[in-house]
């Protein structure tokens, strides 16, 4: 598989540190509110990466954190007059519900910053001991210039950064960080302010800087060098650049071999974000459309390209997914007949020579820097192939072989269920349907066929078709 590495700015062949195993660290959300659909992009994309690597036979250790101590969480907790942990625990739970709806599998582990404070303090101490960090009045700063590779991920030149920062000298005074040795230095530990969660440390009672948690937790749960580090492209600088500085300065080894960054989900061409207020939560979207449709929409673009969100594009995704579900349903119908027919010579040939071509094409797309857009197109081609080559005379075993391949690519790897979910209908709606059916039966008994037809038409308007059978009236969604 080839992966575009932000570090080298080119696609590189993926070679894991340990053959057969992959360690992936994905920066997770800050939990102060429901996640928005932009936050769902890295979750869906890197979940698909994990699934694909597993399909290729790797054992994947997938670590994704929750940032549960942060200014925004503290602000919300103070507004709601509750402890910060009440806010973070609530939104971790809500985030997990959203992820489950989008069929994003739970990580191997979801570490939380507040549960790893002793390790973070140890990392800060190591950096101080090695001369890469210093303390001033209870705040600990990373000495950025002491790390010679600073800027290697974001491809920024340290001197240009310096002049940018000099212009911000006033801002530094305002933020109380004017005691830094150098404006480029960033915070590793800061003393608490009134009303903030805090922990004891050798420097002050306070809390860790944001970047620290990922350096710490990736090492603890994966190792000093990890295979793949991932997140949204906004994290390249300063978050990931600072993680590299902290980790490599402390450990003396390369932090991560491959850096993958997803492009942004946009809305009307603008970045979707909480601060701009132009966002939809995953929870809202899942009320408006099947979460599977939303996942399918996300996978319809290669992850590095910006993706514009619009109702029309989601509707297109819904139509596309419908074609796949119909194709799968056709195969299921033939399988269900269990007709015990032997696989014909023609079918055997299709399975041996044609079907593998679709699998190969799918794999090639995914091997090319996780090109899910092309992989999805291949699924459509596969559906055209299964539709064209199956009918009521097909053997059930042939249909089963086709179905299994479709399942593996679409359901297992892309995380898109190919079986139509029985939609749970609202109880009141079901009661209304049953009442109308009973009224119609009565009308028929009384030979009031005009009324019976009227009721049938009304049901159809409600999206319900009925069928008179020997066992009584049966109904289903149109
Ligand atoms: P945050 O909670 O802001 O730290 O974001 C969590 C993850 O979502 C990070 O990997 C961000 O890069 C990513 N992210 C935030 N907004 C968007 C967006 N509009 N499109 C894609 N990814 C995003
Ligand atoms: Zn991170």
């Amino acid at each position: 598989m080839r992966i575009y590495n932000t570090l080298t700015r080119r696609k590189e062949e993926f070679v894991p540190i340990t053959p057969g195993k992959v360690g992936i660290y994905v920066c997770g959300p800050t939990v102060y509110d429901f996640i928005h659909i932009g936050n769902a992009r890295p979750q869906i994309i890197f979940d698909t990466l994990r699934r694909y690597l597993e399909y290729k036979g790797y054992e994947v250790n997938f670590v994704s954190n929750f940032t549960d101590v942060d200014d925004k969480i503290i602000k919300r907790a103070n507004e709601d007059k509750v402890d910060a942990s009440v806010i973070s625990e609530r939104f971790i739970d809500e985030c997990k519900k959203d992820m489950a709806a989008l069929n994003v599998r739970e990580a191997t582990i979801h570490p939380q910053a507040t549960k790893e404070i002793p390790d973070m303090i140890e990392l800060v101490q190591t950096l101080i001991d090695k001369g890469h960090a210093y303390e001033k009045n209870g705040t600990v700063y990373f000495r950025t210039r002491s790390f010679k590779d600073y800027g290697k991920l974001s491809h920024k030149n340290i001197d240009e950064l310096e002049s940018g920062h000099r212009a911000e000298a006033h801002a530094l005074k305002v933020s109380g960080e004017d005691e830094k040795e150098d404006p480029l230095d960033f915070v590793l530990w800061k003393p608490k302010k009134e009303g903030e969660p805090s922990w004891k440390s050798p420097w002050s009672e306070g809390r860790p800087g944001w970047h620290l948690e990922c350096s710490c937790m990736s090492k603890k749960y994966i190792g000093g060098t990890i295979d793949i580090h991932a997140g949204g492209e906004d994290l390249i600088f300063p978050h990931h650049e600072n993680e590299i500085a902290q980790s490599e300065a402390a450990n003396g080894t390369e932090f991560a071999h491959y850096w993958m960054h997803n492009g942004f989900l946009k809305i009307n061409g603008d970045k979707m974000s909480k601060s701009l207020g132009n966002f939809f939560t995953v929870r809202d979207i899942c009320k408006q459309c099947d979460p599977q449709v939303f996942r399918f929409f996300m996978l319809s673009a290669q992850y590095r390209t910006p993706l514009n969100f619009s109702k029309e594009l989601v509707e297109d995704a819904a139509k596309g997914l419908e074609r796949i579900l119909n194709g799968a349903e056709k195969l299921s119908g033939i399988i269900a007949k269990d007709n015990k027919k032997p696989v014909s010579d023609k079918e055997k040939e299709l399975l041996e020579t044609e079907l593998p071509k679709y699998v190969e094409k799918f794999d090639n797309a995914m091997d090319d820097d996780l090109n899910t857009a092309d992989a999805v197109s291949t699924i459509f081609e596969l559906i055209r192939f299964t539709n064209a080559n199956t009918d009521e005379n097909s053997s059930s075993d042939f249909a089963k072989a086709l179905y299994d391949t479709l399942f593996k690519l679409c359901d297992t790897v892309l995380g898109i269920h190919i079986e139509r979910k029985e939609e749970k209908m609202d109880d009141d709606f079901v009661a209304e349907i049953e009442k109308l059916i009973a009224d119609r039966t009565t009308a028929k008994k009384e030979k009031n066929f005009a009324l019976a037809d009227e009721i049938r038409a009304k049901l159809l308007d409600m999206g319900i078709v009925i069928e008179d059978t020997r066992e009584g009236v049966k109904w289903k969604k149109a």
Side-chain angles (χ1 to χ4, degrees), residues 27-30 36 38-39 41-42 231-235 262-265 272:
C27 294
T30 307
H36 63 67
N39 300 135
R41 191 170 192 197
E233 65 183 4
D234 59 324
L235 298 185
N262 64 273
F264 261 64
L265 184 70
M272 179 179 293

Side-chain angles (χ1 to χ4, degrees), residues 5 16 52 97 103 220 231 256 260 263 266 294 392 456 462:
N5 190 350
Y52 183 62
K97 282 185 211 157
N103 203 19
K220 182 163 173 187
M260 294 177 79
K266 302 199 163 189
F294 182 69
E392 65 276 15
R456 180 192 280 269
M462 290 163 66

Side-chain angles (χ1 to χ4, degrees), residues 66-210:
F66 285 116
T67 297
D68 63 349
V69 55
D70 160 274
D71 289 345
K72 295 189 207 98
I73 300 172
I74 295 168
K75 183 167 173 278
R76 171 118 192 212
N78 288 341
E79 281 164 9
D80 293 6
K81 299 195 173 38
V82 292
D83 198 73
S85 62
V86 174
I87 299 295
S88 57
E89 292 301 328
R90 173 174 172 214
F91 289 111
I92 286 173
D93 278 356
E94 300 294 4
C95 178
K96 286 188 174 170
K97 282 185 211 157
D98 288 338
M99 292 303 110
L102 295 171
N103 203 19
V104 170
R105 283 164 50 199
E106 286 234 0
T108 314
I109 177 152
H110 281 289
Q112 288 171 234
T114 57
K115 301 202 168 134
E116 311 283 345
I117 303 286
D119 291 73
M120 287 195 240
I121 290 176
E122 202 180 304
L123 175 56
V124 175
Q125 190 60 56
T126 304
L127 290 169
I128 293 176
D129 294 347
K130 292 192 169 181
H132 290 294
Y134 57 95
E135 186 252 351
K136 284 267 171 79
N137 296 322
T139 303
V140 183
Y141 296 100
F142 185 86
R143 191 173 273 128
T144 301
R145 278 189 185 273
S146 74
F147 180 64
K148 65 173 183 13
D149 284 338
Y150 195 79
K152 70 173 172 180
L153 180 72
S154 52
H155 305 276
K156 287 183 193 289
N157 175 301
I158 200 158
D159 294 314
E160 283 165 19
L161 282 171
E162 179 84 69
S163 59
H165 273 277
R166 227 173 278 133
E168 290 166 15
H170 175 69
L172 283 180
K173 281 212 165 55
V174 173
S175 66
E177 291 183 9
D178 56 330
E179 56 203 348
K180 288 178 184 181
E181 286 176 1
D182 183 328
L184 283 177
D185 297 349
F186 58 89
V187 173
L188 298 174
W189 186 268
K190 57 180 149 194
K192 73 163 183 178
K193 290 196 199 115
E194 197 48 43
E196 289 187 355
S198 61
W199 293 265
K200 285 200 167 51
S201 81
W203 319 288
S204 60
E205 190 163 326
R207 60 185 167 106
W210 169 38

Side-chain angles (χ1 to χ4, degrees), residues 290 318 321-330 332 403 411 417-423:
D290 178 349
L321 183 56
E322 196 55 28
R323 267 192 281 152
I324 296 174
L325 300 185
N326 286 340
E329 199 165 57
K330 180 176 180 193
S332 299
Y403 185 92
D411 205 306
H417 295 309
I418 60 168
E419 250 168 63
R420 215 180 292 279
K421 244 192 347 248
E422 267 314 310
E423 257 181 76

Side-chain angles (χ1 to χ4, degrees), residues 206-220:
R207 60 185 167 106
W210 169 38
H211 318 296
L212 206 56
E213 64 187 86
C214 297
S215 283
C216 212
M217 302 190 287
S218 58
K219 181 175 181 191
K220 182 163 173 187

